[in-house]
Amino acid sequence: MNSKKKKGVRKRSLKRQLPFYLMMAPGLFFIGLLFYLPMPGVILAFKDYNPVDGLFGSKWVDPLFTNFEFFFKSETARTVTVNTLVYNTLEAVLVTVCAVALAILLNEVGNKYLSAAYKGAILLPTFLSWVVIQYILFGLLSVDRGIVNHVITGLGGEEVYWYSEPAYWRVIMPLAYVWKNVGYYSVLYVAAIAGINTDYYEAAQLDGASKWQQIKYVTLPLIRPTVIVLSLLWVGKLFNGGLGDWNAFYTLPNDAGALYKATDVIDTYVFRSLKKINDYGMSAAVGLYQSVIGFALVLLSNMVIKKIDPDSALF
């Protein structure tokens, strides 16, 4: 094929794909503006930032990794790192399992009006801010006016001081996160299940497969690629509060100092440190540390999946 024919093919292909490129444009602009344009700011991690001198005029720190030492030498570094990993891992597992189960149940609802009502109900918490959820939670767990304590005392028990005991929040935080986000992820899995050819289910029914067998041998294997892709995306934020969800760890416990042992994660620790000492370099250093570890985890996970099942790998 000569060059003129190649140009003609490319031109026709571009014309056919133009509507899709236009649909992508707002998302690409958003990603470029919020994620790629600020990337030169990573040099803050290696600078003694001065607002007067600006990003490029500020002096480099000596030694170069001084900003990282503040975090790694702090007494709470180990606690917040472990909390971040444990909570994100637990939430990833719980949300995935609950979302898949919920999607399968929703797929079995025959009445389309009921199905739409259920989907709307489970999606509602996704659109609530963590501040609103904090008020709901406080209304449930407040010591003197909380509904839960009223029920406990009404049954003859003693009031529970929820905002003073860290152990309770190791359960409350994952449950609150699942309640807020499971609806969003279940809709993704509902879409994946809807894309399965009904011929598979008809063939399974002809072979005498029960409903559970259809789920086990048809539904779950065919949505596995979707589960793997979403799991890989989860792995990338294991070291982060997670796409804005770090606000949950700051807002839900009312920033109570007594609960830091159970609710403090890397993001909240850095936020409070920035408020108190205004150290931009340290904040940038921890952000870079989180991003590099997250990127490495995605590469490692994808490498493992590629060896086990190449078709399910992200890239």
Side-chain angles (χ1 to χ4, degrees):
M1 187 180 292
N2 56 41
S3 59
K4 288 185 178 180
K5 286 185 177 180
K6 286 182 178 180
K7 287 182 180 179
V9 170
R10 289 173 186 166
K11 196 172 182 180
R12 288 193 296 272
S13 176
L14 180 61
K15 191 174 180 180
R16 285 196 303 269
Q17 303 296 331
L18 184 60
F20 300 105
Y21 289 128
L22 291 175
M23 290 171 64
M24 285 194 307
L28 292 175
F29 174 76
F30 176 81
I31 292 172
L33 181 67
L34 296 184
F35 293 95
Y36 286 95
L37 190 62
M39 283 187 72
V42 298
I43 65 173
L44 274 177
F46 308 98
K47 287 201 167 191
D48 182 12
Y49 180 69
N50 184 342
V52 177
D53 297 326
L55 176 62
F56 298 102
S58 298
K59 295 180 181 179
W60 297 91
V61 293
D62 186 27
L64 197 59
F65 293 97
T66 301
N67 287 329
F68 292 86
E69 292 179 7
F70 179 90
F71 173 71
F72 289 109
K73 288 185 177 180
S74 65
E75 296 179 359
T76 56
R78 180 177 176 275
T79 300
V80 297
T81 301
V82 170
N83 282 346
T84 303
L85 283 172
V86 170
Y87 279 127
N88 281 327
T89 302
L90 184 60
E91 289 165 359
V93 173
L94 287 175
V95 168
T96 300
V97 172
C98 293
V100 170
L102 195 55
I104 292 171
L105 292 174
L106 288 171
N107 190 60
E108 295 301 318
V109 178
N111 188 307
K112 64 178 182 180
Y113 298 108
L114 278 177
S115 178
Y118 292 150
K119 290 173 185 176
I122 63 174
L123 266 177
L124 180 60
T126 305
F127 300 104
L128 297 178
S129 72
W130 284 112
V131 175
V132 173
I133 296 173
Q134 186 269 333
Y135 277 104
I136 295 172
L137 191 63
F138 186 76
L140 291 171
L141 303 182
S142 175
V143 176
D144 52 348
R145 290 169 293 185
I147 295 173
V148 175
N149 271 342
H150 276 302
V151 172
I152 293 174
T153 54
L155 295 174
E158 295 183 359
E159 292 179 338
V160 179
Y161 292 85
W162 301 99
Y163 288 91
S164 301
E165 180 53 57
Y168 298 129
W169 290 85
R170 298 191 186 280
V171 177
I172 293 171
M173 293 304 300
L175 289 181
Y177 186 90
V178 171
W179 177 77
K180 186 179 188 300
N181 292 283
V182 70
Y184 170 77
Y185 287 96
S186 67
V187 170
L188 299 180
Y189 290 120
V190 165
I193 294 172
I196 298 174
N197 195 323
T198 55
D199 291 345
Y200 293 111
Y201 293 106
E202 292 172 2
Q205 288 174 353
L206 289 174
D207 288 338
S210 63
K211 185 61 68 176
W212 166 245
Q213 289 173 325
Q214 292 176 40
I215 293 170
K216 183 178 180 181
Y217 296 109
V218 178
T219 305
L220 293 179
L222 290 177
I223 66 170
R224 187 177 65 174
T226 304
V227 175
I228 291 174
V229 170
L230 291 177
S231 297
L232 282 172
L233 296 177
W234 271 103
V235 168
K237 59 173 188 172
L238 282 182
F239 257 69
N240 297 331
L243 301 177
D245 287 322
W246 71 271
N247 288 300
F249 293 95
Y250 184 81
T251 306
L252 293 188
N254 286 337
D255 195 29
L259 304 178
Y260 284 171
K261 186 177 180 181
T263 61
D264 211 11
V265 293
I266 295 175
D267 296 89
T268 55
Y269 170 77
V270 172
F271 179 69
R272 275 194 298 271
S273 300
L274 184 61
K275 281 176 60 179
K276 292 177 181 177
I277 63 176
N278 295 321
D279 193 336
Y280 298 97
M282 183 274 295
S283 302
V286 178
L288 180 59
Y289 158 70
Q290 289 177 291
S291 300
V292 170
I293 296 297
F295 181 65
L297 287 173
V298 170
L299 291 179
L300 181 62
S301 303
N302 190 73
M303 191 183 302
V304 172
I305 292 173
K306 202 168 186 178
K307 288 185 177 181
I308 298 172
D309 185 5
D311 294 331
S312 299
L314 192 60
F315 52 85

